Amino acid sequence: MRPTTFVARPSLTPLQSLLVRRWRPRWICPSRRAFLPQWLPPSTRSLSQQTPAETTKPYYVTTPIFYVNAAPHVGHMYTMLLSDVLKRWQTLKGRSAILCTGTDEHGMKIQQAAAKANTDPKTFCDTGAAVFQDLAERIGISNEIFIRTTDQKHKEGVEYAWQMLQDRGYIYESKHEGWYSVSDETFYPQGQVQLIVDPPTGRKVMVSVETGKEVEWTSERNHHFRLSGFRERLLEWYAANPDWIVPRTRMEDIVGQVTEKLEDLSISRPTSRLSWGVRVPNDESQTVYVWLDALLNYATAVGYPFTPGPESTTGFPPDIQVIGKDITRFHCIYWPAFLMALDLPLPKQILTHAHWTLGRAKMAKSTGNVVNPFFALDRFGLDAMRWYLIHEGGITDDADYDNSFVIEKYKKNLQGGLGNLLGRIMRAKNWDVRKAVQRYAHPDLDPKEDPAVFTESGHDEDDSHRRFYGRVRALPGQVEKHMIDLHPNRALRTVMILIHSANGYLQNASPWTLATQLRSIMADTTGQEMHELSRLGLSPEDLEAAIERVVYLNAETLRLAGICLQAFIPESAGRLLDMLGVAPERRSWEWCVIGKDDGYGTPLVDLGKGEQGVLFPALSSDR
């Protein structure tokens, strides 16, 4: 879906701007809407046209917005992909969902980077934003919205929020002194900085304990937000919502920080130092603090300031906000406090993921220790990278990136695991998958009864089939639990564990051996082999049933895995289901039940021969 773009309104008079910021009609007679000034919010003119179906809150997922002062790296790509997987999962489950990503284009870092590039800040931001938009498109994330903090709509939302905070007495002016990090765009209290020796230069520098970025002592007069007044409310929120931050360890860190001390927050910088940003309303000498500006994007992207009543129809508040662990404090202390002050609902959950490292060192634009995501996509392909980053990426612990790891995991898991199983089942000449599905699918089976896959196929006393059936049946529930717990990596690993188990089960059951035996019996004109089979209490029909049982259980493994994988590797999952012959209307979550689909087995696409048409072809480079 094409990302939403916002069109700036024509220049407004001060009075019109105030009306726009304060405009909150609940309802206006439809016959009068045509007479409203065109500079009023568009939502005013369409409110009465909403249908009942549009009043249900969509599932709202956000990425952080990314700084445009340098090109994206694999870490940015990972954050986007995690968010996309969570959004696609909800779509798979049948829920309307929206995904928002975008770029953070204000602040000292951008101002300095633009000056260094000898260009004006807006042109600099346009170029940087285009690169991130390109990345989002290349990795196939399903975002409906790409927001830029230079959008006029966002600027108006920031101005309105500031006015609301000021009117409610949460903003005051005062002199501020402290340790400021240009890189992190924030002040740090004394307890969160330390003196270190910079290894490359031997220079002693003060840095943030949390991020390791250099800080400098700054003294200036600016506006402050009464953050300290929200300490008790924040602690109450954390206590009432113990799973609000994932993983739990970071929740404990945040609770500890707020419990120890919470100081008021500087929320503006003198324009003489920072000119590139949103001006403080009614004070041209000050620029809005970049984090207040940036955090509000999650609201302005979906229509803030909201018309009272239908706020939730826009998606707000976010159901899941995906962020890197280094910006946890901003999203889990400042952001909820701002929302409480504005009387807006808080996000349902915040997923804080670990970092990707390179050579065991954190990827950082400042050091050049990064992996270019575009190069990686060109070399390994889209779904190979989607699969690798989600499967190997960390939520709690950092993961180290290496091209050799991508190649090794691709060969073992996608080529040798999933692709191999699909080829062995669907390309074989010894059996008919459609016939096996017709024989053993059980969409109407009473849960108390055993499926035919156990009651047929002779006197086989080996319970490996029953055990494997149990593993396949359990897959959807296991995957769903991991997704509810916000651990997509564990969900994907669960699917792959079953795939490897299926390959082992297929190898041990060796249906091709039974197929060879059956052909030999049917070709034996003496009747000797038939006699030997009957002495074992078996018939050719029993052998055929045994073959089709193994084929069916493996086909079901592939079908259920394919449905789950649509959230992770959508292109490959779609091809897998095409090759199995699963009808498009039977690929939603309600069909992810063993035995439910009795209509597949005839491929919807040409399976090809040899390397042609395989699900996961050989990589162009093995180094």
Side-chain angles (χ1 to χ4, degrees):
M1 184 179 295
R2 181 175 298 174
T4 299
T5 56
F6 297 110
V7 179
R9 300 190 194 113
S11 180
L12 306 180
T13 67
L15 178 59
Q16 289 173 341
S17 296
L18 179 62
L19 287 173
V20 166
R21 291 199 298 269
R22 295 300 182 90
W23 188 257
R24 291 292 182 276
R26 288 184 179 275
W27 181 85
I28 294 178
C29 176
S31 65
R32 301 303 302 165
R33 289 183 181 273
F35 298 97
L36 290 175
Q38 291 301 303
W39 44 264
L40 283 177
S43 58
T44 301
R45 292 184 288 276
S46 60
L47 183 61
S48 66
Q49 299 170 7
Q50 291 179 334
T51 64
E54 294 173 323
T55 61
T56 302
K57 179 189 181 307
Y59 193 90
Y60 182 25
V61 184
T62 69
T63 76
I65 50 175
F66 305 105
Y67 279 125
V68 295
N69 61 311
H73 57 67
V74 161
H76 299 104
M77 178 175 169
Y78 177 55
T79 306
M80 286 183 174
L81 288 177
L82 274 178
S83 307
D84 184 56
V85 168
L86 293 169
K87 187 254 180 156
R88 286 180 185 271
W89 181 260
Q90 293 300 321
T91 303
L92 178 64
K93 297 290 294 296
R95 183 168 179 179
S96 173
I98 54 176
L99 171 60
C100 176
T101 189
T103 45
D104 187 352
E105 303 179 16
H106 290 144
M108 186 69 73
K109 279 200 298 190
I110 308 301
Q111 181 174 297
Q112 292 179 349
K116 186 176 181 180
N118 197 29
T119 185
D120 69 276
K122 184 59 167 65
T123 301
F124 181 85
C125 290
D126 289 343
T127 302
V131 177
F132 279 93
Q133 285 179 304
D134 187 26
L135 178 62
E137 184 176 339
R138 284 285 303 276
I139 63 177
I141 71 166
S142 52
N143 62 299
E144 285 72 20
I145 303 170
F146 190 99
I147 186 170
R148 300 176 57 186
T149 55
T150 51
D151 290 336
Q152 182 65 20
K153 173 67 176 178
H154 173 74
K155 177 184 175 183
E156 292 169 359
V158 172
E159 291 172 342
Y160 179 81
W162 182 284
Q163 195 67 54
M164 293 292 288
L165 293 173
Q166 195 165 54
D167 289 350
R168 296 177 181 189
Y170 293 121
I171 294 177
Y172 65 94
E173 190 174 0
S174 175
K175 182 179 180 181
H176 186 84
E177 292 185 329
W179 295 102
Y180 188 79
S181 168
V182 173
S183 180
D184 297 333
E185 298 277 14
T186 188
F187 281 96
Y188 285 104
Q190 185 65 44
Q192 292 184 18
V193 298
Q194 62 183 352
L195 183 66
I196 67 164
V197 176
D198 184 38
T201 64
R203 185 170 61 98
K204 291 182 179 180
V205 294
M206 293 294 290
V207 300
S208 160
V209 173
E210 183 178 357
T211 67
K213 302 297 185 181
E214 186 172 350
V215 297
E216 59 185 15
W217 184 259
T218 302
S219 177
E220 59 192 30
R221 190 165 192 81
N222 47 32
H223 296 276
H224 290 68
F225 173 69
R226 299 184 189 278
L227 181 62
S228 59
F230 289 86
R231 179 175 176 274
E232 294 304 321
R233 287 183 65 183
L234 286 170
L235 291 174
E236 289 174 4
W237 171 262
Y238 302 148
N241 301 274
D243 298 321
W244 189 56
I245 304 173
V246 176
R248 181 66 63 89
T249 53
R250 295 196 189 106
M251 180 69 167
E252 293 168 354
D253 289 343
I254 288 298
V255 171
Q257 289 182 40
V258 175
T259 301
E260 181 180 352
K261 191 176 184 181
L262 199 60
E263 298 178 344
D264 287 352
L265 180 67
S266 171
I267 56 170
S268 72
R269 303 293 312 278
T271 305
S272 58
R273 292 187 175 181
L274 174 62
S275 60
W276 181 241
V278 179
R279 290 287 192 274
V280 168
N282 304 316
D283 186 354
E284 285 292 313
S285 71
Q286 296 280 313
T287 301
V288 176
Y289 171 55
V290 67
W291 274 103
L292 173 59
D293 172 0
L295 289 167
L296 284 167
N297 94 87
Y298 306 122
T300 62
V302 289
Y304 179 81
F306 304 117
T307 300
E311 291 100 328
S312 64
T313 63
T314 68
F316 200 84
D319 292 87
I320 298 293
Q321 296 202 259
V322 181
I323 62 172
K325 65 180 182 180
D326 56 330
I327 52 175
T328 301
R329 183 162 57 95
F330 305 102
H331 285 79
C332 301
I333 298 178
Y334 300 170
W335 177 224
F338 292 151
L339 291 173
M340 289 174 179
L342 292 167
D343 285 335
L344 291 174
L346 274 60
K348 304 294 180 63
Q349 273 189 300
I350 297 182
L351 172 60
T352 66
H353 65 75
H355 290 143
W356 276 96
T357 59
L358 183 61
R360 301 296 174 186
K362 180 187 173 184
M363 289 191 193
K365 294 172 287 189
S366 58
T367 63
N369 189 53
V370 297
V371 175
N372 186 313
F374 297 103
F375 291 171
L377 289 166
D378 289 341
R379 180 174 182 180
F380 301 119
L382 173 57
D383 276 354
M385 285 302 297
R386 284 184 66 108
W387 182 92
Y388 175 76
L389 291 178
I390 299 299
H391 189 271
E392 297 298 311
I395 300 299
T396 303
D397 300 316
D398 293 346
D400 199 50
Y401 182 94
D402 192 291
N403 286 334
S404 64
F405 296 162
V406 181
I407 295 167
E408 175 190 342
K409 297 293 183 179
Y410 179 85
K411 287 183 175 180
K412 179 180 178 180
N413 294 279
L414 295 181
Q415 275 188 312
L418 185 56
N420 182 47
L421 181 64
L422 179 64
R424 295 170 85 183
I425 293 300
M426 294 305 298
R427 286 182 160 190
K429 304 299 183 183
N430 293 319
W431 50 73
D432 183 339
V433 177
R434 178 70 191 124
K435 186 178 176 184
V437 170
Q438 287 176 314
R439 181 171 200 152
Y440 286 123
H442 43 277
D444 302 316
L445 180 71
D446 186 324
K448 297 179 181 179
E449 297 179 7
D450 269 348
V453 72
F454 296 142
T455 58
E456 292 188 15
S457 67
H459 304 296
D460 189 354
E461 296 179 358
D462 182 3
D463 68 349
S464 63
H465 310 292
R466 186 178 292 271
R467 290 198 307 272
F468 185 66
Y469 179 93
R471 293 193 194 105
V472 180
R473 180 174 57 187
L475 177 70
Q478 293 170 342
V479 171
E480 184 171 33
K481 181 182 185 305
H482 290 314
M483 294 301 291
I484 291 173
D485 293 341
L486 300 185
H487 283 282
N489 54 346
R490 295 177 185 174
L492 184 52
R493 290 169 193 171
T494 298
V495 174
M496 298 313 300
I497 288 171
L498 181 64
I499 293 298
H500 290 301
S501 178
N503 271 304
Y505 167 71
L506 180 62
Q507 190 66 32
N508 291 332
S510 188
W512 46 84
T513 301
L514 295 179
T516 300
Q517 182 183 359
L518 182 59
R519 285 197 302 270
S520 179
I521 290 172
M522 302 308 294
D524 180 17
T525 58
T526 68
Q528 181 62 34
E529 292 189 37
M530 181 71 77
H531 176 67
E532 292 294 332
L533 184 66
S534 63
R535 286 180 59 186
L536 297 174
L538 298 173
S539 67
E541 290 75 18
D542 291 329
L543 289 182
E544 187 177 60
I547 293 168
E548 291 179 353
R549 172 175 62 184
V550 176
V551 170
Y552 175 70
L553 289 179
N554 279 279
E556 275 294 86
T557 298
L558 289 163
R559 184 180 71 84
L560 299 188
I563 290 175
C564 292
L565 290 173
Q566 291 175 104
F568 298 87
I569 46 174
E571 286 189 9
S572 296
R575 286 190 57 223
L576 184 154
L577 294 171
D578 285 343
M579 294 169 82
L580 283 174
V582 178
E585 65 273 13
R586 294 187 172 191
R587 300 181 183 186
S588 58
W589 185 248
E590 65 179 303
W591 288 94
C592 198
V593 178
I594 192 168
K596 182 166 185 175
D597 189 352
D598 59 359
Y600 75 101
T602 302
L604 302 177
V605 294
D606 182 11
L607 298 181
K609 294 181 180 180
E611 285 295 309
Q612 182 184 3
V614 296
L615 185 59
F616 296 106
L619 295 173
S620 58
S621 172
D622 281 353
R623 292 185 300 171

